[in-house]
């Protein structure tokens, strides 16, 4: 009886405890269930994926991401990968309802039995998904309870495969790698299906402590963790004992992703990044997994980079030696000081340039140390250019010996050389070096498709490592004489022809309102007297340009400039006719391209297409349509795809072509006459601003337009003399680019608008075929060669007219014309 009563009492207590326990658990679940994130949002899971930029040849240009990740659906993952992670992290994953109660009990017992050790966790894969996606990493009991509740809900909603997919694409595996696919690439340079069993086991062991099991820093622990995972896979029946032994015997080869060739175009890539950031925001760029096909042509980019760099070096050497890169006062510790200098001030320049320390100055050479291959010699013949740089970019007397250039302890820039300049020069001894200098002048290059506005190459300066400021798009500078074609275009619109006569003589303009009288001058301060409009553009005559602008009216000039995108706003003041307003190299290149394509509107673009993470095209740049592209073949005869250009000229094509035709003379008989050697039609114009602070050249063919700018970041004169002009500094860079990109390509003529008249014309530069609008050609009633001098007309010029004051013949017309 007593036993029965005791049993009843115990049963009552047990029942009460069960009720209380159940109520407590239910109460806890009810309490912690409030305010939980909605687990159903995992159905729309879109992991943060890298956005990638590709050049036009398909090579990788740049990659942007907050978390390096490649998303792979679970169906595409090898079975061994899934098995390894389940064995390592949650061996009862396929049987438990979200929480592994056996694992929890084991962890509790282990933690009680070992109070001094780090507590063991018991979170299965589903709980880790709940924590990583929906909760924080806060180590509290409340978080663990919420994690368990969410795990149950996730298991009720999603399949085991879906949960694995979420886990394996989100898990952090060290070294900035998120997801198993990204880790496979960056640890072993392999895709998932290329991994060995040993590599899979290593990756599966990383989630517990990625840094602790780093293969490079902690090799012993990394191998121990891999072997542990292999053992678990054997215990769970995923692999055989033989496979385990073979995998354990394999030495892991850390092969960080490095074989992928990345195109070097830092200024271009950064401009694309800025544009994408403006269009899609930070989240879209750094997490959206965009695939961006850019317009970059890597071959042209390399040519542009090298040409700009060589041009800056040529200018810089011409203006003398500014002193050593750095100095070491105490040569007894030169190695330590040299290492600090190289670390603090990394050298920017061609890969063949190196830093070195002067150890000895001899009468005809300098001994240097600190080179990768030891010591070297700089012959004095490689230093003769290094006269001291003076004010106003002048150069002092050339050095008479090495001691006039360097001293012991100087850190200098050198480049290995084999022989002096010259065809029959005797080779130098081995380990001979030339003295080099990092230029302090800067510049930019833009190469653009004339017809579409696609930017094929962009160089924003000497080195992106030295300065990220992009002089092609961010530097607002005065275009100087490179603005003149738009003045001449306004003139062609308003009755002028290339044969019109304008007086090249002193000019003064009183703006009134107490402002000083403006008296512009020609470069060189000379005057040609009555001169054809064509010759005025070819020789870039300032005073003729100003007279035409005054006659036409600056408001019309401003309208043309805005129409072609040179500027958005510009004051209608006469000095603006000489390029006193500010613009960018990219805008000027675009404007010249639209001159060359016959006034068809283009928008400069660095991006051809943008696709989202699912491959859907969300942006495409192509001003023309393609008839037949993407169409399936029908039963009839196949038709080749055809590019259809529905754009209409936004400016009179006849006036535009007259200007382009005159610009062809600039590159054959004018300020860029050196380009005649290229043997192809190039419509170009040089530009030099006041005091030679900025040098420009822009040149167009029907296919390619190239713009070049040279100048200091802090504006100052580039120097004095004919070389410090657009024709002397910028045009040679164009020539170097054109020689490469047009190599083995036949010249392409410019398209002549219908109706224009080509007439033989003798002028100051020789006899050519000149372009006239219908009714303005010689022999027509509308033909007029009136002199514009600001005071009165001068007409009736004939081929055999009287001599000019300068001794040459006045321009005239001969022969017959032909209509196009």
């Amino acid at each position: 009886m007593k036993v029965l009563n005791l049993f009843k009492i115990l049963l009552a207590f047990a029942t009460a405890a069960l009720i209380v326990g159940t109520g407590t658990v239910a109460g806890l679940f009810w309490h912690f269930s409030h305010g939980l994130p909605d687990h159903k949002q995992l159905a729309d899971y879109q992991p943060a994926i890298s956005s990638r930029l590709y050049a036009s040849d398909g090579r990788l240009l740049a990659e942007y991401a907050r978390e390096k990740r490649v998303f792979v659906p679970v169906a595409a993952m090898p079975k061994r990968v899934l098995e390894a992670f389940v064995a390592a992290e949650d061996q009862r994953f396929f049987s438990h309802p979200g929480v592994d109660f056996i694992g929890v009990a084991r962890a509790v017992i282990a933690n009680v039995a070992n109070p001094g050790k780090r507590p063991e966790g018991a979170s299965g894969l589903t709980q880790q998904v709940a924590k990583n996606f929906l909760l924080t990493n806060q180590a509290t009991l409340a978080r663990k309870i919420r994690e368990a509740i969410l795990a149950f809900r996730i298991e009720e909603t999603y399949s085991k495969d879906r949960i694995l997919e979420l886990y394996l694409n989100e898990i952090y595996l060290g070294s900035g790698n998120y997801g198993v696919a990204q880790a496979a690439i960056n640890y072993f340079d392999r895709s998932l299906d290329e991994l060995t069993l040993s590599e899979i086991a290593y990756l599966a062991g990383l989630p517990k402590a990625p840094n602790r099991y780093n293969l490079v820093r902690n090799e012993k622990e990394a191998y121990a963790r891999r072997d542990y995972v292999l053992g678990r896979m054997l215990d769970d029946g995923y692999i055989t004992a033989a496979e385990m032994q073979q995998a354990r015997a394999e030495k892991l080869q850390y092969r960080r992703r490095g074989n992928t060739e990345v195109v070097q175009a830092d200024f271009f890539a950064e401009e694309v990044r800025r544009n994408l950031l403006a269009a899609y925001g930070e989240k879209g760029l750094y997490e959206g997994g965009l695939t961006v096909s850019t317009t970059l042509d890597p071959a042209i980019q390399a040519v542009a980079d090298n040409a700009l760099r060589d041009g800056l070096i040529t200018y810089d050497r011409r203006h003398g030696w500014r002193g050593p890169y750095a100095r070491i006062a105490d040569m007894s510790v030169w190695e330590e000081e040299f290492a600090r200098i190289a670390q603090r001030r990394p050298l920017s320049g061609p890969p063949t340039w190196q830093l070195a320390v002067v150890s000895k100055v001899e009468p005809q050479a300098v001994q240097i140390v600190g080179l990768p291959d030891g010591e070297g010699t700089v012959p004095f013949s490689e230093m003769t250019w290094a006269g001291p740089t003076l004010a106003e970019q002048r150069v002092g007397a050339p050095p008479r010996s090495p001691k006039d250039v360097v001293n012991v302890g100087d850190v200098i820039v050198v480049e290995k050389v084999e022989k002096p300049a010259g065809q029959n020069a005797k080779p130098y001894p081995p380990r001979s070096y030339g003295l080099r200098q990092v230029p302090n002048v800067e510049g930019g290059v833009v190469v653009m498709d004339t017809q579409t506005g696609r930017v094929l190459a962009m160089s924003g300066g000497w080195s992106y490592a030295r300065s990220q400021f992009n002089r092609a798009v961010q530097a607002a500078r005065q275009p100087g004489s490179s603005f003149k074609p738009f003045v001449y275009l306004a003139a062609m619109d308003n009755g002028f022809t290339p044969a019109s006569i304008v007086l090249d003589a002193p000019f003064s303009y009183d703006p009134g309102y107490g402002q000083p009288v403006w008296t512009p001058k020609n470069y060189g301060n000379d005057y040609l007297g009555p001169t054809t409009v064509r010759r005025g553009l070819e020789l870039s005559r300032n005073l003729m340009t100003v007279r035409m602008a005054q006659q036409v009216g600056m408001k019309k000039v401003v309208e043309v400039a805005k129409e072609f995108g040179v500027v958005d706003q510009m004051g209608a003041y006469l000095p603006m006719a000489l390029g006193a307003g500010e613009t960018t190299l990219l805008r000027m290149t675009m404007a010249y391209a639209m001159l060359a394509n016959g006034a068809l509107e283009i928008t400069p673009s660095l991006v051809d297409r943008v696709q989202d993470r699912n491959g859907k095209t969300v942006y495409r740049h192509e001003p023309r349509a393609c008839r037949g592209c993407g169409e399936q073949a029908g039963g009839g005869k196949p038709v080749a795809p055809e590019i259809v250009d529905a754009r209409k000229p936004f400016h009179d094509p006849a006036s535009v072509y007259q200007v382009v035709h005159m610009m062809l003379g600039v590159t054959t008989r004018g300020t860029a006459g050196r380009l005649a050697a290229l043997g192809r039609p190039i419509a170009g114009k040089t530009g030099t601003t006041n005091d030679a602070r900025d040098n420009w050249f822009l040149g167009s063919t029907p296919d390619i337009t190239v713009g070049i700018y040279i100048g200091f970041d802090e504006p100052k004169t580039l120097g004095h003399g004919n070389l410090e002009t657009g024709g002397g500094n910028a045009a040679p860079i164009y020539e170097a680019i054109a020689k490469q990109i047009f190599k083995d390509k036949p010249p392409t003529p410019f398209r002549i608008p219908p109706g224009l008249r080509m007439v033989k014309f003798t002028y100051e530069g020789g006899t050519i075929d000149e372009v006239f609008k219908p009714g303005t050609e010689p022999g027509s009633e509308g033909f007029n060669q009136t002199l514009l001098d600001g005071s009165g007309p001068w007409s009736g010029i004939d081929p055999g007219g009287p001599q000019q004051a300068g001794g040459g013949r006045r321009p005239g017309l001969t022969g017959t014309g032909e209509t196009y």
Side-chain angles (χ1 to χ4, degrees):
M1 188 69 178
K2 290 182 178 180
V3 174
L4 182 59
N5 289 335
L6 179 62
F7 176 76
K8 289 180 178 179
I9 292 171
L10 291 175
L11 182 59
F13 272 110
T15 303
L18 180 62
I19 294 172
V20 171
T22 303
T24 301
V25 172
L28 288 173
F29 268 69
W30 179 84
H31 173 75
F32 287 107
S33 294
H34 286 287
L36 280 180
D38 184 4
H39 65 285
K40 293 183 179 179
Q41 63 183 277
L42 297 179
D44 300 320
Y45 167 63
Q46 290 190 332
I49 301 178
S50 306
S51 291
R52 292 184 172 184
L53 276 57
Y54 294 94
S56 60
D57 64 356
R59 285 188 288 165
L60 183 65
L61 173 61
E63 192 171 12
Y64 301 107
R66 287 200 177 94
E67 300 175 354
K68 293 183 290 185
R69 178 185 284 105
V70 176
F71 180 82
V72 178
V74 69
M77 292 185 185
K79 187 178 180 181
R80 276 278 169 85
V81 172
L82 308 183
E83 293 170 344
F85 276 87
V86 168
E89 290 293 308
D90 191 354
Q91 66 180 137
R92 283 172 289 275
F93 170 72
F94 289 107
S95 59
H96 67 61
V99 176
D100 182 4
F101 292 105
I102 297 175
V104 171
R106 177 183 50 78
V108 170
I109 294 171
N111 291 334
V112 171
N114 301 284
K117 292 186 177 181
R118 181 180 177 182
E120 285 192 23
S123 293
L125 296 184
T126 312
Q127 288 173 271
Q128 292 185 52
V129 167
K131 180 189 70 174
N132 292 337
F133 285 91
L134 304 173
L135 299 173
T136 68
N137 287 323
Q138 188 177 13
T140 64
L141 179 60
R143 197 268 293 166
K144 294 294 291 184
I145 295 173
R146 291 173 180 271
E147 180 184 290
I149 296 170
L150 284 170
F152 288 131
R153 293 180 178 179
I154 290 171
E155 288 274 354
E156 291 174 352
T157 308
Y158 304 106
S159 68
K160 292 287 187 180
D161 279 350
R162 175 58 174 168
I163 294 169
L164 273 175
E165 182 177 85
L166 294 170
Y167 174 79
L168 290 172
N169 280 292
E170 183 71 15
I171 189 69
Y172 179 65
L173 295 173
S175 300
N177 296 296
Y178 290 82
V180 64
Q182 184 71 44
I185 292 171
N186 281 344
Y187 284 128
F188 302 115
D189 196 19
R190 291 183 176 180
S191 61
L192 290 178
D193 56 3
E194 295 174 325
L195 292 173
T196 66
L197 175 59
S198 177
E199 291 166 342
I200 290 172
Y202 170 73
L203 295 178
L206 288 175
K208 184 177 180 181
N211 294 326
R212 180 180 175 185
Y213 301 125
N214 184 281
L215 185 59
V216 176
R217 295 193 299 269
N218 302 306
E219 182 177 338
K220 185 177 179 180
E221 292 193 29
Y223 277 104
R225 181 63 178 168
R226 177 205 64 178
D227 293 347
Y228 166 79
V229 175
L230 289 169
R232 292 292 295 268
M233 294 181 73
L234 176 66
D235 294 341
D236 293 343
Y238 294 133
I239 60 175
T240 65
E243 287 176 320
M244 181 186 74
Q245 292 302 325
Q246 183 181 357
R248 283 184 172 180
E250 179 183 320
K251 182 174 177 57
L252 293 170
Q253 298 291 330
Y254 179 68
R255 294 181 295 270
R256 188 168 184 83
R257 187 181 183 186
N259 296 329
T260 302
E261 184 179 0
V262 178
V263 177
Q264 294 300 310
D266 293 330
F267 286 107
F268 185 100
E270 172 59 14
E271 185 61 18
V272 174
R273 188 196 70 83
R274 291 174 66 237
N275 291 342
L276 292 173
L277 194 62
Y280 301 103
E282 287 194 16
K283 187 175 180 64
L285 175 60
Y286 292 104
E287 300 179 16
L290 302 176
T291 298
V292 183
S293 302
T294 73
T295 59
L296 181 79
D297 185 314
I300 295 178
Q301 181 67 53
V303 168
D305 286 340
N306 291 333
L308 176 62
R309 183 172 288 171
D310 290 345
L312 297 179
I313 291 172
T314 298
Y315 168 85
D316 190 68
R317 283 174 68 99
R318 193 166 65 239
H319 291 275
W321 173 248
R322 297 187 305 278
Y325 191 81
R327 287 189 174 89
I328 297 175
D330 185 358
M331 283 296 288
S332 66
V333 291
W334 74 267
E335 290 177 300
E336 295 88 341
E337 285 297 314
F338 183 55
R340 276 194 286 269
I341 291 168
Q343 184 178 18
R344 288 196 307 264
R345 295 181 56 194
L347 178 64
S348 62
T352 54
W353 285 17
Q354 304 171 50
L355 291 177
V357 181
V358 176
S359 60
K360 186 177 181 181
V361 179
E362 299 174 346
Q364 289 299 315
V366 166
Q367 300 301 319
I368 53 177
V369 293
L371 298 164
D373 57 352
E375 301 178 351
T377 301
V378 181
F380 178 58
S381 57
E382 292 293 326
M383 306 170 71
T384 54
W385 63 270
T389 299
L390 305 177
E392 298 289 308
Q393 294 301 107
R394 292 183 171 86
V395 185
R400 293 173 293 179
S401 69
K403 68 179 182 180
D404 293 336
V405 182
V406 296
N407 296 301
V408 172
D410 284 353
V411 178
I412 58 175
V413 181
V414 297
E415 182 180 29
K416 187 170 283 189
V417 291
E418 295 181 355
K419 65 178 184 178
Q423 292 183 348
N424 301 318
K426 182 180 179 182
Y428 287 127
R431 295 188 178 180
S432 293
Y433 291 81
L435 180 65
R436 302 292 182 257
Q437 179 172 249
V438 177
N440 61 352
V441 69
E442 282 289 0
V445 174
V446 173
V447 183
M448 183 180 292
D449 185 309
T450 301
Q451 300 300 323
T452 65
R454 298 174 70 246
V455 177
L456 307 177
M458 175 186 288
S459 297
W462 165 259
S463 166
Y464 188 81
R466 179 170 80 171
S467 167
Q468 288 77 54
F469 183 69
N470 190 337
R471 290 131 193 109
V473 296
Q474 294 175 297
R477 291 299 184 90
Q478 294 180 345
S481 296
S482 64
F483 180 78
K484 288 176 181 174
F486 305 100
V487 178
Y488 280 66
L489 180 54
M492 295 301 106
D493 290 338
N494 289 274
F496 282 79
T497 75
S500 298
I501 303 295
V502 177
L503 184 63
D504 185 23
F507 177 91
S508 293
Y509 172 69
D510 184 358
Y513 303 102
Q515 299 181 67
V517 173
W518 181 54
T519 307
K521 299 183 181 300
N522 287 322
Y523 183 85
N525 292 324
D526 61 336
Y527 310 102
L528 299 179
T531 306
T532 58
V533 166
R534 162 175 285 278
R535 195 59 174 166
L537 185 60
E538 290 177 350
L539 299 182
S540 196
R541 307 303 290 179
N542 290 343
L543 300 176
M544 293 176 63
T545 304
V546 171
R547 279 189 166 88
M548 283 190 292
Q550 186 182 47
Q551 175 71 20
V552 170
M554 276 303 298
K555 287 186 178 180
K556 293 180 180 178
V557 173
V558 170
E559 288 174 4
V560 170
K562 291 167 67 175
E563 195 176 21
F564 278 81
V566 176
V567 292
D568 290 328
Q569 298 295 330
M570 188 173 81
Y573 311 118
L574 204 52
M576 295 295 183
L578 299 182
E582 291 185 339
T583 186
T584 66
L585 179 60
L586 182 64
R587 276 179 170 265
M588 287 295 290
T589 308
M590 172 191 69
Y592 270 62
M594 289 191 288
L595 285 174
N597 71 21
L600 299 178
E601 185 175 2
I602 60 174
T603 300
S605 177
L606 287 76
V607 173
D608 278 334
R609 184 172 64 168
V610 178
Q611 295 169 282
D612 64 16
R613 65 173 66 227
N614 300 314
K616 179 183 177 182
T617 298
V618 294
Y619 169 82
R620 184 189 297 275
H621 171 84
E622 174 53 75
R624 304 165 298 177
C626 182
R627 182 181 295 139
C629 293
E631 296 180 4
Q632 294 184 352
K637 185 177 179 181
V639 179
E642 178 187 2
I643 297 293
V644 180
D645 196 341
R647 293 174 295 173
K648 302 297 182 183
F650 60 82
H651 201 97
D652 179 16
S655 294
V656 170
Y657 184 76
Q658 284 183 306
V659 173
V660 168
H661 196 250
M662 287 188 282
M663 292 166 67
L664 295 174
V666 174
T667 61
T668 52
R669 299 173 296 275
T671 54
R674 63 178 295 152
L675 301 183
L678 293 173
R680 64 180 59 243
I682 299 168
K685 183 68 186 74
T686 55
T688 307
T689 60
N690 284 345
D691 203 23
R693 290 171 178 258
D694 306 285
N695 285 176
W696 298 71
F697 180 78
L698 297 108
S700 296
T701 69
D703 304 315
I704 301 292
T705 297
V706 182
I708 294 117
Y709 160 79
I710 302 293
F712 289 99
D713 284 346
E714 294 293 332
K716 64 180 180 179
T717 181
L718 287 162
H720 307 277
N722 291 333
L723 287 177
E724 315 315 335
T725 61
N729 281 320
I733 296 175
Y734 178 92
E735 182 178 16
I737 294 172
K739 282 181 178 178
Q740 294 298 317
I741 65 176
F742 295 135
K743 187 177 181 181
D744 300 327
K745 295 180 181 178
T748 304
F750 285 89
R751 188 183 67 84
I752 304 174
L756 286 175
R757 294 278 291 169
M758 301 289 284
V759 177
K760 288 291 182 184
F761 174 58
T762 300
Y763 80 122
E764 302 89 344
T767 300
I768 61 168
D769 290 327
E770 191 54 275
V771 184
F772 294 90
K773 295 177 183 178
T776 67
E777 71 276 11
S780 68
E781 292 184 4
F783 175 64
N784 190 334
Q785 213 179 10
T786 301
L787 171 69
L788 173 64
D789 64 356
S791 58
W794 176 35
S795 54
I797 308 301
D798 65 81
Q803 297 288 310
Q804 292 188 84
R809 286 191 174 276
R810 288 176 180 164
L813 301 163
T814 62
T816 59
E818 185 175 353
T819 301
Y820 285 81

